[in-house]
């Protein structure tokens, strides 16, 4: 079960939005999807996923942009920092995936696989041996590289 002694804190660039995630994460991933790349302006995004109930925002809440049906992208409306992917986690219920580099200690979570690798930028590659999934590892997808 969740280890409530573990807390991961972070926030946006200006400090208006802070968050805390309590307990163990469900996943730590690199996402190469077009939507994550557009939201962040980065060639790839590192995300750590928690059940929605594990994450609290304070003092200000994040704003949510609905990027597709059922999927929200959290950000700070003061400084524009992208913060989260939020959506349905299937058996886990609502999920909040936090952009790892908004954590106070981004070294605390290390991505374990690449998802939506089929959408990867042709000029971008990482020097690792992690499994690469065309789409998403929870959908019965097998690594193809
Ligand atoms: Zn901010
Ligand atoms: Zn993505």
């Amino acid at each position: 079960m969740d280890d409530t002694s573990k807390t991961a804190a972070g926030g946006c660039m200006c400090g208006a939005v802070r968050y805390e995630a309590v307990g163990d994460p469900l996943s730590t991933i690199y996402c190469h999807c077009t939507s994550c790349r557009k939201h962040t302006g980065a060639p790839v995004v590192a995300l750590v996923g928690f059940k929605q109930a594990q994450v609290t925002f304070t003092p200000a809440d994040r704003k949510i942009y609905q990027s597709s049906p059922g999927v929200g992208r959290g950000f700070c409306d003061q400084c524009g920092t992208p913060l989260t992917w939020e959506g349905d986690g299937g058996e886990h219920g609502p999920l909040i995936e936090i952009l790892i580099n908004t954590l106070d200690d981004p070294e605390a979570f290390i991505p374990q696989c690449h998802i939506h690798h089929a959408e990867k930028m042709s000029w971008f590659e990482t020097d690792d041996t992690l499994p690469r999934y065309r789409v998403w590892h929870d959908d019965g997808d097998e690594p193809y590289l």
Side-chain angles (χ1 to χ4, degrees), residues 26-89:
L26 298 165
S27 60
T28 53
I29 58 173
Y30 288 112
C31 188
H32 296 268
C33 85
T34 305
S35 192
C36 281
R37 290 192 282 105
K38 193 75 170 177
H39 179 59
T40 60
V44 65
V45 180
L47 298 155
V48 57
F50 295 91
K51 295 177 189 173
Q52 191 180 62
Q54 289 176 267
V55 185
T56 53
F57 292 85
T58 182
D61 203 354
R62 78 284 191 210
K63 289 290 183 293
I64 304 266
Y65 171 71
Q66 208 75 31
S67 60
S68 58
V71 175
R73 306 274 173 172
F75 64 98
C76 171
D77 72 346
Q78 302 293 306
C79 67
T81 303
L83 294 166
T84 60
W85 176 101
E86 306 189 27
D88 178 26

Side-chain angles (χ1 to χ4, degrees), residues 3-5 9-10 23 27 38 41-42 48 50 54 66 74 98 109 121-122 129 141 143:
D3 176 358
T4 52
S5 66
S27 60
K38 193 75 170 177
V48 57
F50 295 91
Q54 289 176 267
Q66 208 75 31
I98 291 169
F109 298 101
M121 294 298 298
S122 63
T129 57
D141 202 8

